[in-house]
mmCIF file of all heavy atoms in Angstrom:
data_model
loop_
_atom_site.group_PDB
_atom_site.id
_atom_site.type_symbol
_atom_site.label_atom_id
_atom_site.label_comp_id
_atom_site.label_asym_id
_atom_site.label_seq_id
_atom_site.Cartn_x
_atom_site.Cartn_y
_atom_site.Cartn_z
ATOM 1 N N PHE A 41 -36.445 78.862 44.733
ATOM 2 C CA PHE A 41 -36.276 77.964 45.868
ATOM 3 C C PHE A 41 -36.592 76.521 45.504
ATOM 4 O O PHE A 41 -37.548 76.255 44.784
ATOM 5 C CB PHE A 41 -37.240 78.360 47.001
ATOM 6 C CG PHE A 41 -37.182 79.810 47.360
ATOM 7 C CD1 PHE A 41 -38.024 80.730 46.749
ATOM 8 C CD2 PHE A 41 -36.279 80.266 48.302
ATOM 9 C CE1 PHE A 41 -37.977 82.073 47.074
ATOM 10 C CE2 PHE A 41 -36.210 81.613 48.632
ATOM 11 C CZ PHE A 41 -37.063 82.517 48.010
ATOM 12 N N ASP A 42 -35.809 75.614 46.063
ATOM 13 C CA ASP A 42 -36.198 74.218 46.176
ATOM 14 C C ASP A 42 -37.183 74.166 47.347
ATOM 15 O O ASP A 42 -37.242 75.104 48.148
ATOM 16 C CB ASP A 42 -34.950 73.374 46.448
ATOM 17 C CG ASP A 42 -35.259 71.914 46.707
ATOM 18 O OD1 ASP A 42 -36.190 71.379 46.075
ATOM 19 O OD2 ASP A 42 -34.576 71.315 47.554
ATOM 20 N N VAL A 43 -37.924 73.092 47.489
ATOM 21 C CA VAL A 43 -38.880 73.002 48.591
ATOM 22 C C VAL A 43 -38.376 72.082 49.698
ATOM 23 O O VAL A 43 -38.002 72.536 50.771
ATOM 24 C CB VAL A 43 -40.277 72.539 48.103
ATOM 25 C CG1 VAL A 43 -41.220 72.338 49.278
ATOM 26 C CG2 VAL A 43 -40.856 73.560 47.134
ATOM 27 N N ASP A 44 -38.356 70.786 49.438
ATOM 28 C CA ASP A 44 -38.020 69.818 50.483
ATOM 29 C C ASP A 44 -36.562 69.974 50.896
ATOM 30 O O ASP A 44 -35.659 69.800 50.089
ATOM 31 C CB ASP A 44 -38.308 68.399 50.005
ATOM 32 C CG ASP A 44 -39.788 68.177 49.744
ATOM 33 O OD1 ASP A 44 -40.593 68.583 50.593
ATOM 34 O OD2 ASP A 44 -40.129 67.613 48.688
ATOM 35 N N GLY A 45 -36.352 70.341 52.150
ATOM 36 C CA GLY A 45 -35.010 70.569 52.660
ATOM 37 C C GLY A 45 -34.597 72.029 52.629
ATOM 38 O O GLY A 45 -33.561 72.382 53.185
ATOM 39 N N VAL A 46 -35.391 72.886 51.992
ATOM 40 C CA VAL A 46 -35.101 74.327 51.946
ATOM 41 C C VAL A 46 -36.286 75.108 52.527
ATOM 42 O O VAL A 46 -36.168 75.711 53.586
ATOM 43 C CB VAL A 46 -34.770 74.800 50.515
ATOM 44 C CG1 VAL A 46 -34.625 76.314 50.466
ATOM 45 C CG2 VAL A 46 -33.496 74.130 50.016
ATOM 46 N N LEU A 47 -37.410 75.125 51.829
ATOM 47 C CA LEU A 47 -38.597 75.795 52.372
ATOM 48 C C LEU A 47 -39.265 74.946 53.455
ATOM 49 O O LEU A 47 -39.985 75.464 54.296
ATOM 50 C CB LEU A 47 -39.604 76.105 51.263
ATOM 51 C CG LEU A 47 -39.193 77.202 50.281
ATOM 52 C CD1 LEU A 47 -40.253 77.357 49.195
ATOM 53 C CD2 LEU A 47 -38.951 78.525 50.984
ATOM 54 N N SER A 48 -39.043 73.647 53.412
ATOM 55 C CA SER A 48 -39.522 72.756 54.470
ATOM 56 C C SER A 48 -38.323 72.019 55.045
ATOM 57 O O SER A 48 -37.218 72.103 54.520
ATOM 58 C CB SER A 48 -40.546 71.757 53.920
ATOM 59 O OG SER A 48 -39.893 70.724 53.206
ATOM 60 N N ASP A 49 -38.555 71.271 56.104
ATOM 61 C CA ASP A 49 -37.451 70.561 56.747
ATOM 62 C C ASP A 49 -37.031 69.293 56.011
ATOM 63 O O ASP A 49 -36.116 68.600 56.444
ATOM 64 C CB ASP A 49 -37.785 70.240 58.211
ATOM 65 C CG ASP A 49 -38.962 69.285 58.360
ATOM 66 O OD1 ASP A 49 -39.455 68.736 57.354
ATOM 67 O OD2 ASP A 49 -39.397 69.107 59.513
ATOM 68 N N GLY A 50 -37.685 68.987 54.921
ATOM 69 C CA GLY A 50 -37.318 67.823 54.123
ATOM 70 C C GLY A 50 -38.093 66.573 54.482
ATOM 71 O O GLY A 50 -37.995 65.563 53.791
ATOM 72 N N LYS A 51 -38.855 66.639 55.545
ATOM 73 C CA LYS A 51 -39.649 65.478 55.945
ATOM 74 C C LYS A 51 -40.975 65.495 55.198
ATOM 75 O O LYS A 51 -41.569 66.551 54.991
ATOM 76 C CB LYS A 51 -39.913 65.496 57.446
ATOM 77 C CG LYS A 51 -38.653 65.367 58.263
ATOM 78 C CD LYS A 51 -38.960 65.504 59.738
ATOM 79 C CE LYS A 51 -37.663 65.487 60.522
ATOM 80 N NZ LYS A 51 -37.886 65.894 61.914
ATOM 81 N N ILE A 52 -41.435 64.326 54.811
ATOM 82 C CA ILE A 52 -42.730 64.194 54.158
ATOM 83 C C ILE A 52 -43.597 63.364 55.092
ATOM 84 O O ILE A 52 -43.267 62.226 55.407
ATOM 85 C CB ILE A 52 -42.604 63.513 52.778
ATOM 86 C CG1 ILE A 52 -41.659 64.330 51.888
ATOM 87 C CG2 ILE A 52 -43.970 63.360 52.137
ATOM 88 C CD1 ILE A 52 -41.224 63.604 50.641
#
Side-chain angles (χ1 to χ4, degrees):
F41 309 91
D42 175 36
V43 175
D44 296 314
V46 174
L47 290 177
S48 77
D49 64 8
K51 296 175 185 168
I52 302 167

